[in-house]
Amino acid sequence: MPNTILVTYASRTGSTVGVAEAIGKRLTENGLQAAVLPMTEVKDLSLYSAVVAGSAIQDKKWLPEAMTFMHTYRNALLQKPFAAFLVCMTLAMEKGDYRNAVIEWLSPVRALVKPVSEGYFAGVLDISKIPSFSARLNFRISVALGVWTEGDHRDWTAIRSWANNLTSKP
Ligand SMILES: Cc1cc2nc3c(=O)[nH]c(=O)nc-3n(C[C@H](O)[C@H](O)[C@H](O)COP(=O)(O)O)c2cc1C
């Protein structure tokens, strides 16, 4: 019987990798075995007792490879504890409370496999790492308008606390 928890992620500019690593580290600190892998490198879920999957948000959605992961492994994920998280900039916005909107972005995931727990985390805005010119321009404008600020908005306390709660689930 496998006893390793898979923490798997989809990321474009690296911030979700850090979130997945922090979750894996906390699970290990809590006495569990965890493997942290990009979704594109996962080959066989039978090796794992449970799965924690998370993606960066682009255009209000999990990244395409993250949804491909869900479709590919749906049947296996239905057989084991599954938790999901997202990383986005909306939760780092200076004004307004968009948490309910952000929660909706996991609906396509939920429709495939209902997570035992869901995590919603603010991410990082590093415009220099965004490959597309138009996306860079849009983010520059949004920063100039005061929608959000560039930088690392990850709340490590919230991330570790979510990982702690995972281990208390049956
Ligand atoms: C092209 C693009 C589109 C994005 N779309 C959204 C979005 O719709 N909502 C949001 O809250 N954040 C959005 N973001 C912000 C990212 O989710 C955030 O920067 C996240 O930390 C990126 O994770 P990564 O570094 O793992 O790729 C977008 C970022 C980029 C580059």
Side-chain angles (χ1 to χ4, degrees), residues 9 12 32-33 66 70-71 89 94 102 117 136 138 149:
Y9 59 84
R12 281 287 183 281
L32 299 155
Q33 286 180 44
M70 290 303 300
H71 284 283
M89 275 304 291
E94 318 237 305
V102 169
S117 180
R136 279 201 307 277
N138 283 338
T149 53

Side-chain angles (χ1 to χ4, degrees), residues 9-18 55-61 63 86-93 102 105 121-126 129-132 135-136 139 148 154:
Y9 59 84
S11 172
R12 281 287 183 281
T13 59
S15 56
T16 306
V17 185
S55 173
I57 291 290
Q58 287 204 355
D59 301 323
K60 304 182 180 181
K61 295 190 210 101
L63 292 172
L86 61 75
V87 179
C88 72
M89 275 304 291
T90 297
L91 293 172
M93 282 173 71
V102 169
W105 297 346
F121 305 121
V124 175
L125 181 58
D126 180 350
K129 284 193 182 166
I130 298 174
S132 142
R136 279 201 307 277
F139 274 107
W148 38 44
R154 289 172 294 183

Side-chain angles (χ1 to χ4, degrees), residues 14-35:
S15 56
T16 306
V17 185
V19 174
E21 283 170 349
I23 292 167
K25 183 163 180 277
R26 182 40 60 109
L27 293 174
T28 307
E29 285 164 354
N30 286 344
L32 299 155
Q33 286 180 44

